[in-house]
Amino acid sequence: RFNAKYAWNKTEVIKSGDDKFAIGKQLIYSPEHLFNSSVKVEYKNYTMSFQSCFTGRRYISTDNTDYLKGYLINNISSGIKIGEGRNVININLKVENLFNASYQAIEWYPMPGRSFSLSVIYQFTK
């Protein structure tokens, strides 16, 4: 399966009591461009997926002179389903920020680098 989503968020200041330089400018921390895509492959009891998330530049000043750079985050996950019927075990491994991108969602607050998670879920029914 393939999924792709794009959002164009043109959010401008229409009226400002104190800051005349903000009028007509993009709102701070509101990225104008967002793009997400994912590919998921399933075969028998195995799954694998890859996801890319792009966030465009975000202005941090009302006159749009200062901004945080846009960034691209990639995630990958793989899993297996063991068992059928009443007892099933799902084992999943996920790597977030696969290429260890350095970015900030809020100025002066760096986001974490690459991270790994492993989940084991045991499902049973009566």
Side-chain angles (χ1 to χ4, degrees):
R1 287 183 278 189
F2 175 75
N3 246 333
K5 300 174 188 171
Y6 172 75
W8 179 52
N9 301 308
K10 189 67 174 165
T11 55
E12 295 181 352
V13 176
I14 295 172
K15 187 177 178 182
S16 177
D18 299 340
D19 190 0
K20 64 181 178 184
F21 298 107
I23 297 173
K25 305 293 185 191
Q26 183 79 5
L27 288 175
I28 63 170
Y29 288 109
S30 181
E32 188 172 348
H33 303 283
L34 295 167
F35 178 76
N36 296 311
S37 65
S38 65
V39 174
K40 184 174 185 178
V41 177
E42 296 178 355
Y43 177 73
K44 295 186 180 182
N45 292 339
Y46 301 95
T47 62
M48 185 164 195
S49 65
F50 182 82
Q51 178 186 39
S52 289
C53 305
F54 172 75
T55 301
R57 79 168 55 163
R58 282 150 307 121
Y59 294 103
I60 54 175
S61 62
T62 57
D63 63 357
N64 290 175
T65 55
D66 297 317
Y67 60 89
L68 297 174
K69 294 188 301 184
Y71 56 88
L72 177 68
I73 301 297
N74 296 287
N75 306 315
I76 192 167
S77 66
S78 182
I80 184 170
K81 177 181 167 184
I82 302 170
E84 296 206 16
R86 303 180 93 177
N87 296 297
V88 177
I89 298 173
N90 287 304
I91 301 171
N92 294 293
L93 174 64
K94 185 172 187 178
V95 182
E96 294 183 332
N97 195 358
L98 180 64
F99 301 116
N100 205 26
S102 177
Y103 68 102
Q104 296 178 28
I106 298 174
E107 187 180 26
W108 302 111
Y109 289 91
M111 297 300 290
R114 183 181 307 118
S115 65
F116 301 87
S117 66
L118 174 67
S119 67
V120 178
I121 300 170
Y122 175 68
Q123 298 174 327
F124 61 92
T125 56
K126 290 184 178 184

